[in-house]
């Protein structure tokens, strides 16, 4: 119709006014992290992913922004809300899962373990340095033969006088080969216990895992312990049994709930932008019904996932979040994010397999995110047990 104006394009999260559910402070934090991610991280990620590179010198930059242990209180940590932390994870993973993984492992695994289960001396020694990015931590739980069943771990810590002797190995450890301190979980005569192992401990060595097709812009390592002698005060005094490491995993999963959506939305935004500029049969492919159906289906899942993440964040801030609810968020949002990344790739056609666009890089990364911090199968069984009262994996 002559003189008719084109409808205004709406951001996917504005369809339900989801952004309006955030406070002014939360939006400010999200905007600050988004600007940093777009200006500092996005320009380098294609090259880093292709080369399998991550620069640990980013740590002080993350620290200066307040991202490391940002939801923890005291010891140089920002003390932000769980929702604000989730939004930061959303913006980091919108660029690449490797960046969110670094922040998650540093803050929600290594720092949280010390903050929740450590002694005051351990907290004073490590947390301010880690919050500033001057020290990097890793979290050693998974082993080559024990992933979903950490209770079967073979790494041991045995008493020798007042000392501990640590033997064994850990696998798939983010930040492992650059960490200044490793939080390591081991079997003792009293059950599973946690230990802080500084990098320069004799008998402690690492090996970087290479030839990855996923999380290439992230450092993944093996840890080896050969008669590592640790003083008595290396033990996390408040952690007893699997409750310690599992509580840390629940913290990290919370960040993933938001983070995976960041990757999904970046894929959706890319697909929308491509569809309105890519012309076939003398018209933009955005004008074809099949393309619009794909975009709408993706937008619906991004909105639903964001509302789920925000609800879980509000529960966490109120101190009411249950681990099984974290399982719901991790299972749903990562599963849908992978579907969105793959669907977005179809809109981009052959261009979607290149590093010029982020969608296949996100899809590859999300394959790892689907597995770590609890596989989709394990989270399904956690929820199945909640619904039926019957455990399917014990």
């Amino acid at each position: 119709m002559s003189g008719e104006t084109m409808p205004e394009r709406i951001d996917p999260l504005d369809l339900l006014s989801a952004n309006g559910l955030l406070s002014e402070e939360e939006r400010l934090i999200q905007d600050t992290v988004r600007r940093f991610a777009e200006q500092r991280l996005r320009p380098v990620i294609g090259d880093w992913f292709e080369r399998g590179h991550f620069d640990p010198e980013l740590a002080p930059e993350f620290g200066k922004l307040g991202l490391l242990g940002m939801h923890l209180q005291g010891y140089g940590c920002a003390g932000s809300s769980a929702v604000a932390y989730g939004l930061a994870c959303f913006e980091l993973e919108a660029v690449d899962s490797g960046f969110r993984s670094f922040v998650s492992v540093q803050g929600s695994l290594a720092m949280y373990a010390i903050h929740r289960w450590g002694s005051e001396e351990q907290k004073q020694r490590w947390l301010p340095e880690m919050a500033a990015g001057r020290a990097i931590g890793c979290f050693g739980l998974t082993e080559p033969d024990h992933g979903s069943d950490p209770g079967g771990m073979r790494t041991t810590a045995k008493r020798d006088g007042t000392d501990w002797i640590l033997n064994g190995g850990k696998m798939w450890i983010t930040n492992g080969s650059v960490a200044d301190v490793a939080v390591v979980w081991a079997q003792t005569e009293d059950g599973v216990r946690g230990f802080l192992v500084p990098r320069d401990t004799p008998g402690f060595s690492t090996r970087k895992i290479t030839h990855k097709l996923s999380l290439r812009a992230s450092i993944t390592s093996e840890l080896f312990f050969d008669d590592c002698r640790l003083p008595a005060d290396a033990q996390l005094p408040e952690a007893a049994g699997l409750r310690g490491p599992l509580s840390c995993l629940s913290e990290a999963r919370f960040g993933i709930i938001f983070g995976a959506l960041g990757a999904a939305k970046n894929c959706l935004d890319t697909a929308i932008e491509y569809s309105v500029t890519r012309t076939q049969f003398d018209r933009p492919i955005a004008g074809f019904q099949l393309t619009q159906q794909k975009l709408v289906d993706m937008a619906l899942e991004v909105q639903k996932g964001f509302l789920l993440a925000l609800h879980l964040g509000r529960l966490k801030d109120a101190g009411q979040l249950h681990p099984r609810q974290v399982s719901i968020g991790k299972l749903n949002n990562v599963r849908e994010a992978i579907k969105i990344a793959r669907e977005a790739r179809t809109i981009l056609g052959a261009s979607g397999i290149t590093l010029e666009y982020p969608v296949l890089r996100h899809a590859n990364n999300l394959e790892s995110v689907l597995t770590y911090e609890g596989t989709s199968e394990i989270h399904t069984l956690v929820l199945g047990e909640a619904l039926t009262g019957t455990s399917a994996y014990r």
Side-chain angles (χ1 to χ4, degrees):
M1 184 180 298
S2 177
E4 182 178 0
T5 59
M6 292 294 293
E8 180 183 357
R9 285 171 55 185
I10 298 177
D11 183 273
L13 288 179
D14 286 337
L15 288 171
L16 282 174
S17 301
N19 285 319
L21 300 175
L22 304 177
S23 70
E24 182 177 350
E25 180 180 1
E26 289 163 348
R27 285 194 292 269
L28 177 61
I29 291 173
Q30 183 177 20
D31 290 343
T32 300
V33 179
R34 180 187 299 126
R35 283 194 300 271
F36 171 81
E38 291 298 324
Q39 295 170 7
R40 177 66 177 91
L41 305 180
R42 195 171 294 282
V44 301
I45 186 55
D47 175 63
W48 286 16
F49 188 89
E50 188 167 30
R51 292 194 290 125
H53 173 75
F54 177 87
D55 187 354
E57 292 301 316
L58 271 178
E61 296 184 55
F62 287 147
K64 186 176 180 180
L65 204 61
L67 292 173
L68 303 179
M70 65 180 288
H71 59 306
L72 303 179
Q73 298 289 334
Y75 308 98
C77 301
S80 67
S81 69
V83 170
Y85 169 60
L87 294 170
C89 289
F90 180 97
E91 296 301 336
L92 291 172
E93 197 148 358
V95 178
D96 193 83
S97 300
F99 298 125
R100 196 268 311 145
S101 289
F102 180 91
V103 169
S104 287
V105 169
Q106 179 85 343
S108 291
L109 289 179
M111 291 179 68
Y112 177 81
I114 299 171
H115 192 277
R116 174 65 180 86
W117 304 110
S119 67
E120 184 60 30
E121 291 75 15
Q122 291 168 337
K123 296 174 187 178
Q124 293 287 354
R125 177 184 178 185
W126 289 110
L127 291 179
E129 292 296 296
M130 295 173 78
R134 293 188 294 266
I136 295 174
C138 69
F139 187 84
L141 177 63
T142 298
E143 297 184 357
D145 297 321
H146 295 281
S148 295
D149 180 19
M153 71 177 68
R154 296 175 182 172
T155 298
T156 61
K158 297 183 179 180
R159 290 189 181 276
D160 183 25
T162 60
D163 291 346
W164 293 92
I165 306 298
L166 187 65
N167 281 285
K170 301 295 181 178
M171 187 77 167
W172 308 116
I173 308 303
T174 299
N175 302 343
S177 57
V178 297
D180 298 285
V181 62
V183 177
V184 180
W185 302 93
Q187 294 279 12
T188 75
E189 61 183 10
D190 297 320
V192 173
R193 295 291 186 270
F195 300 87
L196 300 184
V197 185
R199 181 175 183 78
D200 58 0
T201 303
F204 174 34
S205 60
T206 65
R207 180 170 61 201
K208 184 178 179 181
I209 297 173
T210 57
H211 304 297
K212 296 184 298 179
L213 298 177
S214 177
L215 283 180
R216 291 182 53 77
S218 177
I219 296 171
T220 311
S221 308
E222 294 180 81
L223 311 182
F224 304 97
F225 311 100
D226 184 10
D227 288 335
C228 289
R229 181 174 291 274
L230 302 171
D233 61 7
Q235 183 185 355
L236 295 173
E238 302 301 321
L242 285 174
R243 180 175 173 229
L246 293 183
S247 70
C248 301
L249 292 177
S250 188
E251 286 291 308
R253 288 166 188 152
F254 175 79
I256 290 172
I257 294 170
F258 278 87
L261 281 179
K265 186 171 184 295
N266 186 231
C267 291
L268 173 57
D269 289 341
T270 301
I272 293 172
E273 189 61 36
Y274 188 88
S275 72
V276 299
T277 58
R278 172 68 169 174
T279 299
Q280 291 289 282
F281 304 104
D282 300 320
R283 61 189 298 191
I285 63 173
F288 291 103
Q289 292 180 5
L290 287 176
T291 301
Q292 290 196 1
Q293 180 177 5
K294 292 179 180 182
L295 295 173
V296 168
D297 287 345
M298 289 188 281
L300 289 176
E301 295 307 324
V302 167
Q303 290 172 95
K304 289 189 286 185
F306 187 82
L307 292 175
L308 171 59
L310 186 58
H311 172 63
L312 297 178
R314 299 295 187 217
L315 287 177
K316 184 170 175 56
D317 280 325
Q320 299 174 355
L321 184 63
H322 192 280
R324 66 170 173 266
Q325 295 170 323
V326 179
S327 288
I328 292 173
K330 206 262 185 180
L331 176 64
N332 181 82
N333 285 8
V334 179
R335 184 169 63 187
E336 296 306 319
I338 289 179
K339 292 178 182 178
I340 288 169
R342 292 169 177 164
E343 190 77 293
R345 207 288 308 160
T346 69
I347 293 176
L348 271 68
S351 294
I353 72 167
T354 72
L355 283 173
E356 181 180 357
Y357 297 95
V359 291
L360 196 57
R361 173 169 54 80
H362 281 310
N364 282 5
N365 286 337
L366 288 166
E367 290 290 348
S368 291
V369 179
L370 186 71
T371 295
Y372 68 29
E373 320 300 1
T375 66
S376 58
E377 291 85 357
I378 289 296
H379 288 299
T380 297
L381 297 182
V382 167
L383 298 175
E385 181 177 8
L387 293 173
T388 66
T390 303
S391 172
Y393 54 90
R394 297 185 189 279

